[in-house]
Amino acid sequence: MSGKHGELTCQELVELVTDYLELRLPAPERARFDEHVTTCRGCQAHLEQMRQTLRVAGALREEAVAPAAREALLAAFRGWKRGV
Amino acid sequence: MADGQGSAQEGLRLEAARAGDERAFLELVTQHQRSMVGLARAIVGRDEAEDVVQEAWLAALQGAAAFQGRGSLRSWLLSIVANRSRTLAARSRRQVSFDGMAGGEAGGPSVEAERFRPPSDPDWPGHWVTPPAAWPEARLAAAEVAREARRTIEKLPPGQRAVITLRDVEGLDPEETCRALQISEANQRVLLHRARVAVRRALEAHMLSAGVGA
Ligand SMILES: [Zn+2]
């Protein structure tokens, strides 16, 4: 389902975004990807949405260990120490 | 990401904890607890995750001698969590397969076919019918967006959920993720793609319902 002259279509490109972001595309395919994206606003936007998705997921990370969990672990640690 | 030196230092800290040093233990907890809980949640669910992780810590202390700075301490700890979670899930007869191909996690197209012009299109086959637009950053920061993403991740099949949790939420690198889940790099990438695609779609639907153009 390639476009004219073996260029990547938008529909093909969206399947390759993760391979692209993971730097796993072979050089020729990466070049075709880059070439497409520089001239296609829709795919630029799609790529940006995928990057935005990663940022939203990254922001879900809980930064602090809950004090209750910490206390429970410490108690388990002390119990373990006594048992050894 | 733990380099060789960091890994040696962490080995010493683990050794100190094993010898009973509470401060060393708490430092390890501060550093690794969240990723461990994230992984356990992805496999056994929220309710049992903390218990699994607690068991994993004790197993790690007990078996500290086995970690001889092989790889990063984090991926060693995560593989303990993964093993224990899987054992627990198997015991309660829940199927846990991280294998994207065999695990019924086969995905459809990343973007619905209707969004593209048909192959028969004389000018632009396979190109966007209506091109998407990136989302306004201000909207992305909204609490409902985070909630929507979390909800979507929790509903994903186990392999996708585990991979996106480790990679995108907890920030592990691909090698650590593969080691913890015992999957191949290619499989990891397929699962990651499907998971990201699912979250992107959910966010797109959310943005549309909130009046932001797709
Ligand atoms: Zn395009």
Side-chain angles (χ1 to χ4, degrees):
Chain A
M1 242 236 297
S2 277
K4 296 166 185 169
H5 318 302
E7 287 163 18
L8 218 49
T9 67
C10 307
Q11 195 166 12
E12 289 165 339
L13 184 139
V14 300
E15 303 299 337
L16 300 177
V17 171
T18 300
D19 290 351
Y20 179 79
L21 294 175
E22 296 277 292
L23 305 177
R24 283 291 179 161
L25 283 184
E29 222 174 336
R30 186 169 184 88
R32 290 204 303 162
F33 190 107
D34 281 329
E35 200 182 307
H36 182 114
V37 162
T38 35
T39 56
C40 178
R41 287 175 149 232
C43 286
Q44 270 163 34
H46 179 80
L47 188 59
E48 183 54 24
Q49 283 187 357
M50 288 292 270
R51 289 193 168 117
Q52 290 177 315
T53 300
L54 304 201
R55 289 204 292 277
V56 168
L60 297 178
R61 180 159 193 230
E62 288 160 24
E63 282 306 325
V65 178
R70 198 179 138 99
E71 284 312 305
L73 280 173
L74 201 51
F77 179 72
R78 289 174 180 153
W80 173 80
K81 238 166 47 173
R82 275 195 303 273
V84 167
Chain B
M1 311 290 106
D3 52 19
Q5 203 182 2
S7 165
Q9 218 168 50
E10 290 201 299
L12 290 177
R13 201 171 284 161
L14 178 67
E15 193 43 50
R18 197 197 58 79
D21 180 343
E22 250 172 43
R23 226 191 53 177
F25 177 66
L26 285 176
E27 276 168 11
L28 291 173
V29 167
T30 303
Q31 206 149 16
H32 301 293
Q33 172 76 359
R34 287 160 311 211
S35 308
M36 292 165 77
V37 171
L39 174 60
R41 272 186 195 160
I43 307 173
V44 297
R46 224 162 237 280
D47 298 345
E48 288 165 305
E50 306 249 336
D51 287 346
V52 167
V53 170
Q54 184 169 317
E55 278 178 36
W57 277 115
L58 300 184
L61 292 169
Q62 205 72 51
F67 169 68
Q68 300 165 326
R70 268 187 289 130
S72 72
L73 179 62
R74 178 163 69 166
S75 59
W76 185 68
L77 290 170
L78 288 172
S79 62
I80 298 175
V81 172
N83 286 336
R84 300 208 147 231
S85 302
R86 259 184 298 218
T87 308
L88 181 70
R91 221 183 289 146
S92 52
R93 282 186 293 279
R94 271 167 295 166
Q95 183 120 25
V96 179
S97 167
F98 293 133
D99 184 339
M101 308 304 174
E105 299 194 18
S110 301
V111 174
E112 302 87 325
E114 309 86 77
R115 299 283 308 268
F116 302 100
R117 295 173 183 234
S120 58
D121 190 279
D123 302 315
W124 300 101
H127 284 246
W128 298 99
V129 176
T130 311
W135 302 311
E137 288 295 323
R139 299 305 289 258
L140 275 185
E144 314 111 71
V145 171
R147 258 198 303 278
E148 187 59 38
R150 193 184 290 281
R151 240 197 321 266
T152 307
I153 290 173
E154 281 171 5
K155 281 188 299 197
L156 289 172
Q160 293 180 35
R161 192 170 66 213
V163 170
I164 198 171
T165 299
L166 293 183
R167 289 293 317 278
D168 292 345
V169 181
E170 299 298 335
L172 267 64
D173 62 38
E175 293 74 27
E176 288 176 305
T177 303
C178 292
R179 227 174 296 138
L181 301 177
Q182 292 170 2
I183 55 178
S184 70
E185 190 282 325
N187 199 354
Q188 184 259 164
R189 205 161 3 110
V190 169
L191 292 169
L192 182 62
H193 182 70
R194 289 182 191 151
R196 285 176 175 177
V197 158
V199 177
R200 190 205 66 81
R201 271 202 210 196
L203 295 185
E204 180 172 61
H206 175 80
M207 293 293 181
L208 276 174
S209 74
V212 179

